[in-house]
Amino acid sequence: MQYFQNKKIILPITVDVGLYSCIEENLKKIGFEVFMLTYNSEFKYPSLKYKVLNFIHKNLLFDKGYKARLKKELQYKKIEKQIDSFPKTDYSLTIRADLFNSSILTKVTNLGAKNYAYQWDGLSRFEGIQEQIPLFDKFYVFDKNDILKDKTYPTTNFYFDCFDPLFEENKPEYDFFYIGSYDNRIDSLLIICDYLYSKNYKLNIILRTVTKDNLQNRPYISFIKVPTSYYENLEKTANSKFLIDLKNDSVHEGLSFRIFEALGSDKKIITNNQIVKNYDFYDPQNILCLDEKLDLSAVDQFLNSPYKEINPSIKKKYSFTNWIKYILEINDSIPLEIP
């Protein structure tokens, strides 16, 4: 994109599920020079000294929080050293500001001419996040309950348009794909999947947990301990005809990335998130929205009808390219309100 050619952006972000590398790739594709700052949740003692100190704190001083504090301290030192090598930039975009302390965020915002943040989980999950909001020109959230007057601004999630070729001329191996944690969604997931499996649909259901003995009689489920990367999930999306999305009430009330993946890849999706009905891309021919009873009587008709093409301008609205233009307040962006 012409406007972003040779623009510089600092991107402090979590490394969770490798989403950061997809964001970096899409930013580079539209012209940005990206300066990445990642908070890595993995930890290795830098020397035997720190291992001994942790043993003393944990077992003699009953200080079980020492290791977590040490991990943060070492991560922060590493990140601050990185920042010192960065030039002045046109923008900064911090995703998951809760992972960084005020000293780091102040350094970042001193380098960026304009500074923005996006919190892609509910604010209530993160202690101290409210104090960081004033550091940015705008602080974006995707849960309607988190919009605070003159403090936070609405946005949605998005799909990566840089990966459009992944979904072209693809012959999926599976009928359905779902990936998620073993949590309060499991009962709903089993009701839906047992029904689909009984209808001989081929399912690729992945749960991030240790193997569960009570689920061994369901051959369509596989278990992973280490999360797959976001790009690998997109590959699995491309390898499936349809998607399943289940809301996690304990986390947020916004739409997950899965809904936007379906939109970007022109795939039908089954969800129990009623909020999706409020969006301009919602069409019952493409999105089967289940109620609390999980009535599946309409599934066969839904799956056997063709996908209804979405208005190109609406689809473009939820692309990453438009999302970043909206976040950075570029004039020709399409606004992303939360309905």
Side-chain angles (χ1 to χ4, degrees):
M1 179 173 292
Q2 191 80 22
Y3 179 83
F4 292 127
Q5 289 300 320
N6 303 317
K7 297 286 187 183
K8 295 181 175 65
I9 187 169
I10 301 175
L11 186 66
I13 188 173
T14 172
V15 298
D16 290 352
V17 302
L19 192 63
Y20 71 98
S21 63
C22 296
I23 292 177
E24 181 181 27
E25 184 163 344
N26 221 142
L27 284 170
K28 286 181 176 178
K29 184 170 182 179
I30 60 177
F32 274 105
E33 184 179 356
V34 183
F35 296 86
M36 184 82 70
L37 289 173
T38 57
Y39 184 94
N40 197 330
S41 57
E42 294 180 2
F43 176 74
K44 188 188 230 180
Y45 288 107
S47 67
L48 180 61
K49 167 190 168 184
Y50 289 101
K51 202 168 187 178
V52 171
L53 283 172
N54 181 55
F55 178 86
I56 293 171
H57 277 265
K58 183 178 178 180
N59 297 286
L60 302 180
L61 302 177
F62 304 104
D63 177 13
K64 294 183 179 180
Y66 174 77
K67 184 177 179 179
R69 294 197 305 275
L70 176 64
K71 179 174 77 172
K72 273 191 175 183
E73 180 185 337
L74 295 175
Q75 279 282 314
Y76 288 163
K77 283 182 179 178
K78 178 183 174 183
I79 291 169
E80 292 207 24
K81 189 175 180 181
Q82 278 183 273
I83 297 172
D84 290 339
S85 68
F86 287 174
K88 291 281 188 179
T89 63
D90 302 281
Y91 305 98
S92 77
L93 172 59
T94 301
I95 298 180
R96 287 286 310 274
D98 60 283
L99 293 173
F100 305 93
N101 62 19
S102 295
S103 173
I104 288 172
L105 294 178
T106 299
K107 281 192 170 189
V108 167
T109 53
N110 283 339
L111 288 176
K114 293 184 178 180
N115 301 283
Y116 302 91
Y118 176 47
Q119 199 72 9
W120 66 36
D121 271 330
L123 291 181
S124 60
R125 298 186 68 199
F126 306 107
E127 185 179 351
I129 192 68
Q130 302 282 355
E131 288 74 27
Q132 294 179 334
I133 292 174
L135 294 173
F136 304 94
D137 293 305
K138 279 192 173 182
F139 193 102
Y140 293 93
V141 294
F142 80 117
D143 187 332
K144 205 167 188 174
N145 296 321
D146 288 334
I147 298 176
L148 310 171
K149 188 176 181 182
D150 300 326
K151 290 186 178 181
T152 58
Y153 298 84
T155 189
T156 65
N157 281 320
F158 49 82
Y159 67 88
F160 289 102
D161 44 332
C162 70
F163 298 128
D164 285 348
L166 187 63
F167 303 100
E168 296 171 359
E169 298 180 8
N170 189 276
K171 294 182 179 179
E173 177 185 358
Y174 293 95
D175 292 307
F176 281 92
F177 170 58
Y178 173 86
I179 187 167
S181 302
Y182 184 90
D183 52 31
N184 58 21
R185 297 171 286 183
I186 188 65
D187 290 339
S188 297
L189 178 67
L190 294 179
I191 289 171
I192 294 169
C193 290
D194 284 348
Y195 176 84
L196 295 172
Y197 188 69
S198 73
K199 294 283 188 174
N200 296 317
Y201 288 106
K202 194 172 182 182
L203 312 180
N204 184 17
I205 309 301
I206 302 173
L207 294 179
R208 293 191 294 264
T209 182
V210 297
T211 301
K212 299 291 184 180
D213 293 337
N214 62 317
L215 298 181
Q216 290 300 299
N217 63 337
R218 290 178 167 89
Y220 56 79
I221 296 179
S222 57
F223 303 92
I224 58 172
K225 295 180 182 178
V226 179
T228 56
S229 72
Y230 190 81
Y231 184 77
E232 289 173 316
N233 290 342
L234 289 180
E235 290 180 315
K236 291 179 173 63
T237 297
N239 198 28
S240 303
K241 295 177 184 176
F242 313 109
L243 304 177
I244 299 172
D245 167 72
L246 295 172
K247 64 177 180 177
N248 189 337
D249 293 325
S250 64
V251 177
H252 56 71
E253 291 189 11
L255 293 184
S256 71
F257 275 100
R258 189 60 33 81
I259 295 291
F260 298 95
E261 291 162 18
L263 175 65
S265 60
D266 298 328
K267 293 182 184 290
K268 292 195 172 200
I269 188 167
I270 296 175
T271 183
N272 66 344
N273 194 338
Q274 294 287 325
I275 291 175
V276 73
K277 291 182 177 181
N278 300 328
Y279 283 76
D280 52 3
F281 59 79
Y282 171 74
D283 190 299
Q285 195 165 317
N286 297 338
I287 302 174
L288 179 61
C289 198
L290 302 175
D291 59 19
E292 292 182 359
K293 296 179 181 178
L294 298 180
D295 180 6
L296 299 167
S297 60
V299 166
D300 291 332
Q301 181 181 351
F302 170 72
L303 298 178
N304 290 326
S305 64
Y307 182 87
K308 186 175 177 181
E309 186 176 346
I310 299 298
N311 184 311
S313 63
I314 292 177
K315 184 175 177 180
K316 177 184 177 182
K317 174 180 175 180
Y318 296 98
S319 67
F320 177 84
T321 298
N322 182 66
W323 182 86
I324 195 67
K325 287 167 68 178
Y326 168 72
I327 294 292
L328 303 182
E329 301 184 277
I330 308 305
N331 287 337
D332 66 343
S333 66
I334 307 169
L336 290 166
E337 300 294 333
I338 303 175

